[in-house]
Amino acid sequence: MPLVRIDVVEGRSDADLRRLADTVQDVLVEHFAAPERDRYQVIHEHRPGRIIALDTGLGFDRTDEVVVIQITQQGRDEAQKKAVYAALAEQLEARCGLAPTDLIVSVVENTPADWSFGLGRAQFLEGDL
């Protein structure tokens, strides 16, 4: 179950944010084999100028429409990660109008010991999940 943090510059409508989040979930279900009800997303809106995201020397300009997605997960291989990067760029452009140059994705690895879903318990380690 990936935990997804989505950072955007404030100004998008609730419907736009939901479409963005739904698109991310759909991509994770398809390419990371995430179960549909394993949906953990946090959307952070920042004032203009609070996301500083240059192009890392790639030669393109970003706009205030920039979206930064951080996916914390376990057990996905490089092929799955590359598929997620490509599908996010394609689907966010098609469904949300996001330019692929305005998308930054980071995948963070962790282990079963790094999760608690409530009750102060480590459900993966205790056999609940």
Side-chain angles (χ1 to χ4, degrees):
M1 79 281 326
L3 170 63
V4 179
R5 177 183 169 132
I6 303 170
D7 290 276
V8 298
V9 175
E10 61 188 11
R12 287 177 167 86
S13 70
D14 289 344
D16 289 342
L17 291 172
R18 184 59 190 230
R19 186 168 25 290
L20 178 67
D22 289 348
T23 301
V24 171
Q25 179 68 7
D26 290 347
V27 168
L28 294 180
V29 167
E30 181 176 350
H31 296 282
F32 266 14
E36 291 201 27
R37 289 194 45 88
D38 279 355
R39 185 170 182 168
Y40 300 94
Q41 298 174 317
V42 180
I43 299 171
H44 295 272
E45 294 182 277
H46 304 273
R47 292 189 317 216
R50 298 296 169 103
I51 296 179
I52 301 168
L54 301 181
D55 71 347
T56 315
L58 296 171
F60 49 80
D61 294 320
R62 298 197 199 277
T63 72
D64 280 342
E65 297 298 310
V66 67
V67 173
V68 180
I69 299 173
Q70 184 177 40
I71 306 166
T72 302
Q73 59 79 48
Q74 56 183 308
R76 274 56 178 216
D77 61 29
E78 286 183 15
Q80 288 173 299
K81 292 173 188 176
K82 288 174 69 174
V84 161
Y85 304 149
L88 284 170
E90 177 186 321
Q91 290 299 311
L92 289 170
E93 182 176 33
R95 293 170 58 178
C96 303
L98 182 69
T101 53
D102 274 335
L103 175 63
I104 300 169
V105 181
S106 173
V107 175
V108 178
E109 298 279 340
N110 68 10
T111 69
D114 298 318
W115 294 93
S116 173
F117 295 94
L119 304 174
R121 299 183 55 212
Q123 285 86 356
F124 282 135
L125 298 180
E126 297 172 21
D128 298 329
L129 293 174

